Each structure stands twice: as C-alpha cells, then as structure tokens.
Amino acid sequence: MSIRHGLLALLERGPRYGARLRAELEARTGAVWVLNAGQVHTTLARLERDGLVAQEGRDTRGRPLYALTATGRAELHDWYTRPVERTSPSHDELSLKLAMAVGAPGVDVRAVVEAQRRHLREALREYTRQRCEALGEPPSHRDEVTRLLGLEQLVLHTEAELLWLDHCEARLQRLAAAVATEPPVATDPPRGTEPPATTEPPTAPL
C-alpha cells in the first residue's frame, strides 16, 4: 500500500493533523498497516514539498492541519484509476531467505520451510478467527467493511503462501533425490602429484 496515497485519500475528507491521519489509516485498514508517528510526519513533509498537501492553520491544541491541494486531488484520482504494478518481483524476505538457504553450508532448508509453515498456520488461525468475528454482524460502517476486506486479503495471501511453501518443499525433495543418484564427479589429481607409472615385469631370457 502506498502510504502517500492513503494519506491523500483521508485528506480528501477534510483537513487533518498527523496523529489523526495515523489513527484513521490504521482503522480503515483493520490495523493491517500499523504506522509510527515518524512515518506519517515524514510522508506529510514530502507531500507538502511536492505540492500535494499544504498546511491550513492549526487545531485548538495547536497541531498543524494538512489539507489536500488541487494537485494532490488530481494525483489521488489518477491513483484510483491506475492498476497496481505486478511486473517487477516484490522484495520479499522469505523468497530471499529460501534462495540463500539452498546449498548454504550448515543450513537445512527444509527446516527453514517448516518453521515458516508453522508460523503461517498460526497466523492463518488468528486471521480466520478475526474474520469470523467480523462476519458475525453485518458491517454497518465503511470502516468495518474495509477492515473485513483487509482480513480477507490476509487470509487469502497466507493460504497462497502456504501452498507456495508446499511447492518449494516438493521441489527441494526432487532436487535432493536427483543429487543423491548422480555419479561422483571425477577430480584431477593435485598439481605435482602424478599417478604411479605402470612397469612391465622383466622378460625372462630365452
């Protein structure tokens, strides 16, 4: 999710200060995206630098209020109409970990897969429990709808990752079986060592 565009979307509803933006973004995403104050304020500063938001006075407690500019509104609406790019591979830590674990000395890559699988199963149980609670009562507010959508995304993504891990494990098992049946590779003798010369036994005189 683009934090920039998430903040722009919230500001379309009216001026807001940083802490309120942070709380609303977490509420709208079902706490799937948890931000710290530094992330929000840094992003707001960049949006202001790019002319997408502008400070518009302060609230009763002296906190600066940020408002959407015309340029920011145009960027937001353009974002809604653009597809999310999937052409480049994501920088996923699990993919990197498995890639590095294959063939690494002293690392059992199957143990890495199993540890991740246990973690995902626990997470899936928790996401499913939260989704069941959310489905217990029909959502009556848009924040409840967005929370449900976020939970369903987590459930589906976790199920997909579990399937991918099963595929990885099967692939690794086939690789291990193939390596086990390969004949040993002949190696050249070290330099300076020559195989012993074969000598013919002396011929007896006639």
Side-chain angles (χ1 to χ4, degrees):
M1 175 182 175
S2 168
I3 298 174
R4 286 167 54 92
H5 293 97
L7 297 181
L8 292 178
L10 292 173
L11 288 173
E12 190 176 34
R13 300 163 67 178
R16 280 157 170 72
Y17 54 86
R20 180 176 176 183
L21 285 167
R22 175 189 174 194
E24 288 189 7
L25 187 62
E26 291 181 5
R28 290 290 297 275
T29 60
V32 172
W33 286 88
V34 179
L35 308 177
N36 59 52
Q39 286 177 289
V40 173
H41 289 295
T42 299
T43 305
L44 285 171
R46 290 173 180 167
L47 291 172
E48 187 176 17
R49 177 201 63 193
D50 296 340
L52 303 179
V53 305
Q55 292 192 33
E56 192 176 275
R58 295 178 176 270
D59 69 355
T60 56
R61 296 177 58 183
R63 293 171 293 196
L65 295 171
Y66 292 87
L68 202 60
T69 64
T71 304
R73 194 177 305 278
E75 168 60 25
L76 175 62
H77 291 172
D78 184 54
W79 177 62
Y80 280 133
T81 61
R82 291 196 307 263
V84 177
E85 291 290 340
R86 298 294 189 194
T87 54
S88 300
S90 62
H91 296 166
D92 180 74
E93 182 181 355
L94 178 58
S95 298
L96 177 62
K97 181 186 290 188
L98 290 180
M100 296 298 101
V102 173
V107 177
D108 184 354
V109 67
R110 286 171 294 185
V112 176
V113 169
E114 185 55 33
Q116 185 67 26
R117 182 185 284 119
R118 287 195 301 269
H119 168 74
L120 288 173
R121 285 172 176 165
E122 292 174 4
L124 182 59
R125 282 194 293 270
E126 178 60 21
Y127 297 150
T128 304
R129 183 190 66 77
Q130 293 183 32
R131 183 180 64 174
C132 290
E133 288 181 355
L135 288 171
E137 297 181 4
S140 58
H141 191 272
R142 63 181 171 186
D143 286 354
E144 295 173 355
V145 174
T146 55
R147 178 175 182 271
L148 179 58
L149 291 175
L151 289 170
E152 289 175 334
Q153 182 189 40
L154 287 173
V155 168
L156 293 172
H157 280 191
T158 306
E159 289 175 342
E161 193 160 290
L162 281 167
L163 287 173
W164 179 67
L165 284 177
D166 290 344
H167 171 79
C168 290
E169 187 174 51
R171 176 77 69 186
L172 290 168
Q173 288 175 347
R174 288 195 296 270
L175 176 62
V179 170
T181 57
E182 287 181 355
V185 178
T187 58
D188 294 331
R191 285 186 177 181
T193 61
E194 298 293 337
T198 57
T199 58
E200 296 291 335
T203 307
L206 296 175

